[in-house]
Amino acid sequence: MSRVLVPVRYPLSAHSKRTLASAIDLADERDADLTVLHVNLYHRGDDVTRRDLKRGVERVSDRFARVRFVVREGFLVEETILEEIVATDADVVVIGRKQVGRWRRAIRRIIGDPDIEAFLDEKVDCELVTVG
């Protein structure tokens, strides 16, 4: 069974809603499980719960059967997402175009000038889908 991972902000922004909708479509197409991830940042004092995330997502869509809601704590969103990719053995990560720049900056700190798709393929063996 394949797994699609979609990191989102909470409360869901218009951009997060589009990214989520694309991830749901992709999970349906591939008959995959879906993991919806939110990262509470330590330095911002975020306190979103799994229940908050689930209710927020359910308000915008009811089209998923096999979905898991995850809230993680972290200092860097990108690093926490990478940890979740590994922990869930995700096959596909769906991110918004706005997140790509942040990913590049974060990965640049690790490996220099990154090709994000190549980095994810090499380091964690997953596909990256970017939503505009």
Side-chain angles (χ1 to χ4, degrees), residues 16-126:
S16 287
K17 290 174 186 176
R18 283 191 305 274
T19 304
L20 177 63
S22 294
I24 292 168
D25 290 344
L26 186 63
D28 285 346
E29 288 170 16
R30 297 187 183 197
D31 193 32
D33 292 336
L34 177 66
T35 299
V36 179
L37 170 68
H38 171 77
V39 179
N40 281 331
L41 295 174
Y42 288 124
H43 60 282
R44 287 193 186 159
D46 292 345
D47 196 22
V48 174
T49 66
R50 184 183 164 281
R51 183 182 304 165
D52 295 333
L53 179 62
K54 184 175 190 268
R55 285 181 182 161
V57 170
E58 287 174 342
R59 277 193 292 272
V60 299
S61 181
D62 62 355
R63 293 185 23 225
F64 31 74
R66 296 184 323 259
V67 64
R68 186 172 155 250
F69 299 93
V70 177
V71 175
R72 297 280 183 236
E73 309 291 326
F75 287 106
L76 296 172
V77 172
E78 297 78 11
E79 186 175 298
T80 307
I81 293 169
L82 286 173
E83 290 169 359
E84 189 66 21
I85 292 169
V86 172
T88 62
D89 196 25
D91 299 293
V92 181
V93 179
V94 180
I95 63 170
R97 187 152 316 276
K98 289 183 177 183
Q99 290 176 308
V100 171
R102 283 184 230 129
W103 276 70
R104 280 198 177 92
R105 285 190 301 275
I107 295 173
R108 188 174 291 130
R109 284 179 257 156
I110 299 169
I111 64 168
D113 194 21
D115 173 347
I116 296 172
E117 288 83 357
F119 174 81
L120 288 176
D121 189 48
E122 179 183 315
K123 300 296 182 189
V124 292
D125 193 29
C126 72

